[in-house]
Every structure is written in structure tokens, then in C-alpha cells.
Amino acid sequence: MFHQIWAALLYLYGILLNSIYQCPEHNQLTAGGVDGKEFPEPHLGRWYFIAGAAPTKEELATFDPVDNIVFNMAAGSVPMQLQLRATIRTKNGLCVPRKWIYHLSEGSTDLRTEGRPDMNTKLFSSTCPGGIMLKETGQGYQRFLLYNRSPHPPEKCVEEFQSLTSCLDFKAFLLTPRNQEACGLSSD
């Protein structure tokens, strides 16, 4: 009898503690009217990679040599397709161009990367002005990435992102230095 009462008290304590220390929620962006015209119109254009978070440092290792990254998201040549171009400025000053094609999922904002069937990208709103968060999952990794329209968003934005991801048990955190000028995006 004593064990049952003790277990019940611990259970109630756990519920109370969980309700007090819940991670803040960030809404996944909704498809709204995914018809190739309405979405992702607000998300097209230039974005700067600001920070990343993951359960382990290994899941962020690809960003270790990066000083800054600038992206351009454009509508693809066919409906439900997005073209992403990036230039990566490495810490040693090199500019490395990259291209990806994303495919929108019908009725969703989930993105699939062409040539990477294991990779899934979800878009989330951010409380930061001009900001957006992505959650990338693939074979052997998951990470949250913070992007902003400005290369230097308010410090509060980065702090909120780090707090949120830490609450979600993403212990590794990476902030791009952005000490060098961003590379220009190629026009092709």
C-alpha cells in the first residue's frame, strides 16, 4: 500500500514538473494553399545561415569549417519544386558554391531533397523577426538550423534558438562566426 501511494505521489510530481518546465512550442509552417504560387512565396529569396543545434557535435561537423553561408531560395522549373543555391565562405576564405533541389510534399511544408531520399526537412516559424527554423533529419543525424534575412540578427534571436533546442535535448550548438564578407551568389 505504501509503495502505491509513493508511486502515485511521484507520478503527480512528474506531471506538475513537466507542466512547469515544458519546452516552448514553435509551429511547423502550414501548407496554406500549396499550389506552387501561394507557397512558399514568403520564403523565397535570400537567407543567411546563423546557427545549428543537434544532439551531438558530430551531427554539426559539416559546419565546422564554415564562416558564413548565404542561400537563395527560388521557385523551381516545375510545380512543387524549389531551387536552393548557396555560397559557403569557409574560415580559410574560400567560396564554395552549392545547389539543391527540394520537392514540396502535397498538402505539407515538408521538403524532400532530390538525390537524398533519406533526408527530410521541416520548416518552423521563429519568433525572431525575419527568421525561420529548419529541422533536418537523415540517416544518422538530426539537427535544427536557424536562418535569418539579416546576416546579423538580434542576439536575442540566437539566445532563444539555443534555449529552445537545448530544452529539446539538442546539446551541441554551433554559431557561425560571420567574420568575413559573404560570397556572392552565382546567377546560374
Side-chain angles (χ1 to χ4, degrees):
M1 177 80 170
F2 175 73
H3 292 291
Q4 290 173 332
I5 293 172
W6 184 244
L9 285 173
L10 285 176
Y11 176 75
L12 290 174
Y13 177 74
I15 290 174
L16 177 66
L17 198 60
N18 190 35
S19 69
I20 294 172
Y21 293 107
Q22 243 179 0
C23 291
E25 286 190 29
H26 278 71
N27 297 325
Q28 184 171 355
L29 296 178
T30 58
V34 175
D35 62 4
K37 292 182 180 159
E38 291 181 42
F39 180 82
E41 198 71 32
H43 308 296
L44 298 179
R46 187 172 294 237
W47 293 95
Y48 297 90
F49 174 56
I50 306 301
T56 66
K57 288 187 342 185
E58 292 76 24
E59 293 166 279
L60 294 173
T62 190
F63 301 111
D64 284 341
V66 169
D67 179 79
N68 66 71
I69 306 175
V70 61
F71 291 91
N72 187 64
M73 181 76 76
S77 56
V78 297
M80 305 296 285
Q81 184 185 80
L82 298 171
Q83 294 180 348
L84 182 68
R85 289 183 298 117
T87 53
I88 302 164
R89 170 77 73 178
T90 62
K91 289 177 182 172
N92 66 7
L94 294 176
C95 290
V96 181
R98 291 281 188 259
K99 292 181 185 180
W100 297 267
I101 294 179
Y102 283 133
H103 296 277
L104 289 161
S105 302
E106 187 68 41
S108 166
T109 59
D110 290 6
L111 303 173
R112 295 285 182 185
T113 306
E114 190 170 283
R116 305 263 323 263
D118 65 313
M119 187 174 175
N120 185 33
T121 303
K122 295 180 183 287
L123 302 173
F124 290 86
S125 62
S126 171
T127 57
C128 182
I132 194 168
M133 293 185 302
L134 277 65
K135 183 178 184 185
E136 290 183 344
T137 54
Q139 194 165 358
Y141 72 91
Q142 61 176 329
R143 55 191 174 218
F144 272 100
L145 306 173
L146 177 65
Y147 294 86
N148 200 277
R149 296 290 190 180
S150 167
H152 300 285
E155 193 172 314
K156 181 182 178 208
C157 295
V158 176
E159 290 169 0
E160 286 177 1
F161 174 75
Q162 188 172 14
S163 177
L164 170 68
T165 55
S166 178
C167 184
L168 295 170
D169 213 24
F170 281 51
K171 302 292 186 208
F173 181 77
L174 177 133
L175 179 64
T176 56
R178 291 163 290 160
N179 293 327
Q180 302 176 52
E181 186 177 328
C183 300
L185 285 166
S186 64
S187 59
D188 58 4

